[in-house]
Every structure is written in C-alpha cells, then in structure tokens.
Amino acid sequence: MSNKGLQKTLGFSAALSTVVGMVIGGGVFFKPQAIYSATGGAPGLGMLAWVIAGVITIAAGLTAAEVSAAIPKTGGMMIYIKEIYGDRLGFLTGWMQAVLFFPATAAALGVIFAQQAATLIGQSETNMAVVLPIALGIILFLAVLNTVGSKLGGTIQTVATICKLIPLAVIIVFGFINGSGDNSITTPFIGENLSMGAVLGQVLIAALFAYDGWINVGSIAGEMKNPGKDLPKAIVGGLSIVMAVYVVINLAYLWVVPASEMATVSAPASLVAERIFGPMGGKIVTVGILISVFGGLNGYLLTGPRVSYALACEGTLPGSKALCKLNKGGVPSNAIFLMAILACLYALSGQFNLLTDLTIFIIWVFYVLTFIGVMKLRKDQPNLERPYRVPLYPIIPLIAIAGGLFVIVNQLMNNTLVAAGGLIVTAIGLPVYSVMSKKQKNN
C-alpha cells in the first residue's frame, strides 16, 4: 500500500509524542531486577546500560526510518526485508514474529502481570498455582476483547498509555523527595569475579527490552508534513526523552533502595513505591503499573495477529484459509486466538526474564538485517525515492549494526541455550515456507 492516500498532517510535536508513547512500556518497572542481578548487585554498569541501550536505540530508529519511508507499505519489518532480500527471508521474518516474538512477549507480560497481581492479593509471586491461571486468564481475556473489534482494543490502548505515565511521574517526584539518597549510584561498577563483556551483554538485552517498540517509529513517515526534516528530530528527541526518563527513574529507584536489594525482587518499582508511601500507597502504585502492563499486553495482541493474518492471506502459513478470515467485527479473530494459544504455551514457563531475553535476541537478529538492508538498498537502488535519509551516513547505521551484533554474539556465547532455542524455532519456518510454496504452485 502506498502512502499516497495518507494525509500529511503530522508535525514535529505529534511525531515526538508518538515516539515516546510507542516506546515507554512495562520494562522500566521490572528490568532493573535483571540488570542488577547480572551486575552482582553493583549499580555502576547498570546505570550506564540505560544510556548505552538508549544510544543504540536512537541509531537504530534513525536507520530503520530510512527504509520505512522508502518502502511505505503495510507490514513493517517483514515487508522491508522481503523487498530487500527476497520472499524467503521476508517470510522468515513474519514467521519469527508470528510464532515467537509477539506471542512470547505477550506471554512475558502476562507472567509479570500475574506475579504482581498475586502479590497484590497477598500471594507469593512464585506460587505457580496462582500465577499461571492469572497469566493465562489475562491473555485469553484480552484476546477475546480484541476479537470484538479494533476500536475497543484501541480504546484500551489509549487509556493504558495515559495510566502508565502516572506511576512513572509519582515514583520520580516522591522518590527524590522522600528517599534518603544514601545508596551508591556509580560504584561499584560491577560485582567481584564477573566478566565485563558477558555482563554488559546481559544488561543490554534487559535494557533493550524496555526500549523496544522503536521499529514502529518509521511507520508515521508517510503522514508527516516534512519527514526529511522532522522525522530525525522526532526520533532523536523522542528517544532522548525516553532515555532521560529511564535514567532519572532508575536514579530515583537507587535514591530509595540499593541496587543489591533491587536484584532480589521481580518488581523494583513496586518495592520503591512501598518504601515511599507505605504498604497501601505501594499497592496503589502497583495497580498503576499493572494497568501499564495490561496496556502493553493489549498492544501486542492488537498488532501481533496482523502478521500471521498477512502471511495467511498470502497462503504461506499452514491453516491459511482459517487464519485469513475476518469475523463480523472486521478483525482476524482466528489469528488472534492462534497468537493467544501460543502465548499461553510460552507463559507456562512462568519466566518473565527468560522469555524477554529470548524475544529480544531473535528480534535483534532481524533488526540488524534491516540496518544492513538500508546500506544494501542505497547500493542496489540509488535512485529510489527517499523522503528521509539517515543523517551522518554511514556512521549512524554502523553504530546500530555494531550494537546489535554485540548483543547477538554475546547472547550466543553466554546464553547459548536461549539463543539456540530462538534460532531453531525461527529456522523451522524454512521447511514450512518450502512446503507451502510448493503447495501454492500445485494449486
């Protein structure tokens, strides 16, 4: 679909708010635990990770926006890779998103929602007899809501977006006012007997989950009045605001609770809120955080099924006829339930950090392909119309590629089983594509 039909109404301020709204999610409330656990309870490298991950994300957003503006078609990264590298790799991108990235991320959000809900009702977050039914229930509940129609899903998203900013602001303001400020923020940099390279990879994977969502930034290029001028400013400005918020709220966390203690709890934000406001105030802030996670989960169930629906309509997925159908509400209900079922299966692991490590590793493999694709497209199609060009080319793309490769290689070396699992599930898409392609030709 061309961008010719889109009205160019978005200016800089609208684009800036879109960037911030798409990126800020639940990761900032929960990922400090994984970060400070990896650093051995040391705050220095943990704080630096938020800055490094932010710089990598800004470079990534600036780079991917060029290909997004040059290929203004619906489908996102799957379409970019298909146009640059061919049908097979394009399908593999969609397959990875449909069977792994979207459902496993939804599962992770379902699990962390359930863990926090369990503690809110006085149960242990490790009590799987309570956590798993809540996780599966919330995933299926939102799946059903999204089959009613995209308007309801969009309304939920709007309300949750507003609500997620409240606990952020409350913790930042009252954390600095009521916190002691006695805890160390920069030292020690890393725990004793730990490898800097290995730990840096782990903390970046955790922080990049909190920054994820930037790939959608380029999708607004076709609706901007002046994308060449305003899009890079919106990306740099928006992601810089996100990075500043993440750094400041993590400073606020440390102002109240030491890094060594945050390493031991799944929801550092809730712990900090309880220290600031007491048990009841902490519970109120936790409810705000739950609404934020609820909105994040809804967002994935709103957008993720569109990938499997698109693949099904091309006839490249098993069960394509059923998955390509729309219900009376005009939404791909079968594709929504497919994602929900896969998410429930992943959620049975009960592991938030394991699932997010898995999804961020595999999605960054394809992000790097997209960054390289920007350079390939410049070489192969120099005359292609580009409403926006990445600034400081090729430095910015190379920063994005280098950052992504570091994360990928580090995970392959230090978290081999998780990385291998992601690659195997993705690689299953190759024989699926071959079989379904032959089936299409025979028909």
Side-chain angles (χ1 to χ4, degrees):
M1 184 175 76
S2 171
N3 64 349
K4 290 179 182 176
L6 297 174
Q7 293 185 355
K8 294 182 178 294
T9 56
L10 295 182
F12 170 71
S13 60
L16 184 75
S17 61
T18 302
V19 172
V20 175
M22 284 192 297
V23 175
I24 292 179
V28 68
F29 298 120
F30 305 106
K31 277 302 176 181
Q33 186 267 337
I35 288 173
Y36 295 124
S37 177
T39 63
L45 185 59
M47 285 302 302
L48 185 62
W50 292 104
V51 177
I52 296 173
V55 171
I56 293 171
T57 302
I58 290 170
L62 287 170
T63 304
E66 177 171 313
V67 70
S68 178
I71 307 174
K73 298 180 180 179
T74 54
M77 185 168 62
M78 175 175 69
I79 298 299
Y80 312 152
I81 288 181
K82 181 179 179 180
E83 292 277 329
I84 297 168
Y85 298 103
D87 290 348
R88 187 182 297 272
L89 202 51
F91 169 81
L92 204 62
T93 307
W95 168 267
M96 174 275 299
Q97 290 177 309
V99 303
L100 184 57
F101 176 73
F102 280 110
T105 303
L109 293 172
V111 167
I112 202 70
F113 179 95
Q115 288 177 349
Q116 297 315 299
T119 58
L120 206 59
I121 60 175
Q123 299 291 322
S124 170
E125 64 182 39
T126 60
N127 185 350
M128 289 298 114
V130 174
V131 169
L132 288 181
I134 296 174
L136 303 184
I138 196 66
I139 291 167
L140 294 173
F141 173 69
L142 278 171
V144 171
L145 285 185
N146 275 283
T147 61
V148 174
S150 57
K151 187 176 180 181
L152 178 59
T155 302
I156 294 170
Q157 204 59 29
T158 302
V159 173
T161 299
I162 295 168
C163 290
K164 73 184 175 186
L165 299 176
I166 296 171
L168 278 169
V170 166
I171 290 171
I172 288 172
V173 172
F174 290 97
F176 286 118
I177 292 172
N178 295 348
S180 66
D182 294 335
N183 305 314
S184 179
I185 290 170
T186 57
T187 57
F189 199 69
I190 192 174
E192 292 182 15
N193 303 319
L194 292 175
S195 163
M196 176 68 76
V199 173
L200 182 58
Q202 286 179 272
V203 296
L204 283 181
I205 277 280
L208 286 170
F209 174 76
Y211 282 103
D212 202 45
W214 59 265
I215 191 70
N216 303 308
V217 168
S219 65
I220 61 175
E223 295 165 85
M224 294 185 67
K225 297 172 188 175
N226 190 349
K229 178 184 175 184
D230 290 340
L231 186 59
K233 288 198 297 183
I235 292 169
V236 173
L239 292 176
S240 295
I241 290 170
V242 172
M243 182 166 67
V245 169
Y246 286 179
V247 170
V248 170
I249 195 169
N250 276 277
L251 283 172
Y253 291 159
L254 289 170
W255 213 253
V256 180
V257 175
S260 56
E261 192 173 351
M262 278 194 277
T264 64
V265 292
S266 65
S270 297
L271 174 65
V272 170
E274 189 172 321
R275 292 286 170 85
I276 297 170
F277 302 109
M280 184 52 67
K283 285 184 177 181
I284 292 170
V285 174
T286 298
V287 169
I289 294 169
L290 282 172
I291 295 171
S292 176
V293 178
F294 184 86
L297 176 54
N298 179 72
Y300 279 95
L301 281 164
L302 182 68
T303 56
R306 271 64 182 176
V307 175
S308 50
Y309 170 74
L311 291 175
C313 290
E314 292 177 356
T316 51
L317 275 186
S320 286
K321 285 185 179 179
L323 294 171
C324 191
K325 287 181 180 177
L326 297 176
N327 65 10
K328 291 180 181 178
V331 296
S333 54
N334 291 334
I336 290 171
F337 283 121
L338 170 66
M339 178 175 158
I341 290 166
L342 289 172
C344 286
L345 292 174
Y346 286 120
L348 292 175
S349 68
Q351 299 292 315
F352 171 70
N353 286 320
L354 175 70
L355 289 168
T356 54
D357 286 356
L358 172 66
T359 59
I360 291 301
F361 164 76
I362 200 65
I363 199 71
W364 268 86
V365 171
F366 288 86
Y367 285 165
V368 169
L369 283 174
T370 304
F371 308 149
I372 295 170
V374 170
M375 304 177 84
K376 186 176 187 298
L377 208 58
R378 283 215 184 183
K379 182 182 177 184
D380 296 346
Q381 300 184 46
N383 298 321
L384 181 69
E385 184 184 352
R386 291 173 172 84
Y388 156 78
R389 288 174 175 266
V390 59
L392 300 177
Y393 182 89
I395 297 170
I396 298 293
L398 288 174
I399 291 171
I401 291 167
L405 286 176
F406 174 79
V407 168
I408 292 165
V409 172
N410 188 281
Q411 284 294 99
L412 282 168
M413 293 174 61
N414 297 297
N415 206 354
T416 308
L417 283 177
V418 171
L423 292 172
I424 289 167
V425 173
T426 302
I428 291 170
L430 291 172
V432 170
Y433 179 78
S434 297
V435 170
M436 296 306 293
S437 296
K438 286 178 183 177
K439 191 175 178 181
Q440 276 187 307
K441 287 179 182 177
N442 293 334
N443 290 339

